[in-house]
Amino acid sequence: MLSMLFILGGFIPLIYADFSATVLTMDDGVITGRFSDSVLLSLPPCDQYAGKSVDLEYLNVNTNQTTTLNSIFTVANCSSGINTVGSTAISRNIGYQLKNLSNGTQYRIHYQIGSNKSAPTMATTRSVPDFGNDLSLPARSGAMVVITVILSLAMFFLLICLILSTVMSSA
Amino acid sequence: MASRGGLTWLMIIVILCNAFAAAAGLALFALAIWVAVDGYKLYPISGVSGKDDIFAGAWIAIFTGFAYFCTCIFGIYAARKQRRSLMLSYLIIMFIIFIFECASCITAATNRDYLVGNSNVVKKQMLQYYAEDSTKGREITKTWNKVMQDVECCGTDSPLDWVEYNSTFRQLYGTTYPWPLNCCKRLSSFEVADSQGCIIGQTSTMFTRGCFTHIESVLSRYTWAVSWYGFSVQMFVFFMLLIAMVYFTQLG
């Protein structure tokens, strides 16, 4: 039994490699990694997989349809950092933009590099609702209340005093 | 009936207060002109929403400020002449101007709350009218382009507004451009510095903060000019009119 466990344990690194394709966030230098029809994914670690060709497989959780993209890019060397030339996220070494997705849908995504498979990650594309169908009235500022109350009282008081002073001086 | 000495002192106080109120009224006139001129060019944001009474309050304050100035000079003359008919007409005219100025202060403060109490109205307007081919659409597009470039901002609360919600811009330009190119940093030659990076969303190539803070601070500045300064002038005029009424009752 124990020897079986040891043998199985030896296979675990081949089942899931120790990296995953995470969705990029503001910390990675982009506004957002989630759009309505694409997601920006992080790249595999360059120290282990530089120069290797990467495949990507993703599953649409709603329709249960799996799509495989073969040889989408080659992992760059660690010496090349993020650059500002090139028209795609991958040519700038920021990440990989997985396109042609449906909006408001959840996907399970993982990279495949040779026999190494990354830990799968869940990513949901943005559903794009209309804004402002239920606009609530913003709270009243204190300024409005103070000005309205005090000026209304002042107006009323002045009117009373004006009438009184006219009556008193004609009496 | 007050003694001659007491009456003279009261007359001097009324004259001095009127002189001060004339200066304050002229300042109100000048400040209201500054608001009406709208140096920050943000009028379309309130005009298109139909809630532009901050500027209506400014126009009323232009009238009342100048009217206070003229009437207070008349008040100095009326107090010096010590004639009851003149003082009574002065009091009635000042009271009418007082009512108009109250309307200006209250209107400006209330409409500011509608517009910029939170970012919802401005955001909805931006999503609906930016890039729309209508009169309102063109005004809003021009205003937002100017704000995004001058203030170096994108979207209402952040650039994510363009990506999270449906908008006329998205309907027209699809998802190739997640946000307008006015969100991108530009060189001094006005060319976009890095349009591809901006489309991907690299934070180093575009503006990442929202424009609502600026819009809210400008409209609040206009409102505080009209409503709070108007309020302080009103408080001074209130006490001055009370003293003038006492003087009026003491006149023979």
Side-chain angles (χ1 to χ4, degrees), chain B residues 126 130 154-155 159-165 169-170 178-180 183:
Chain B
M126 177 190 85
Y130 188 89
C154 181
L160 290 178
D161 292 335
W162 294 109
V163 175
E164 266 178 19
Y165 301 106
F169 178 78
R170 171 186 223 86
W179 32 69
C183 291

Side-chain angles (χ1 to χ4, degrees), chain A residues 29 31 36-37 92 129-130 141, chain B residues 113 166 170 175 194 201-203:
Chain A
I31 297 286
S36 64
D37 63 346
R92 288 174 177 242
D130 288 329
S141 70
Chain B
D113 284 356
N166 195 14
R170 171 186 223 86
T175 52
D194 187 356
Q202 261 180 301
T203 49

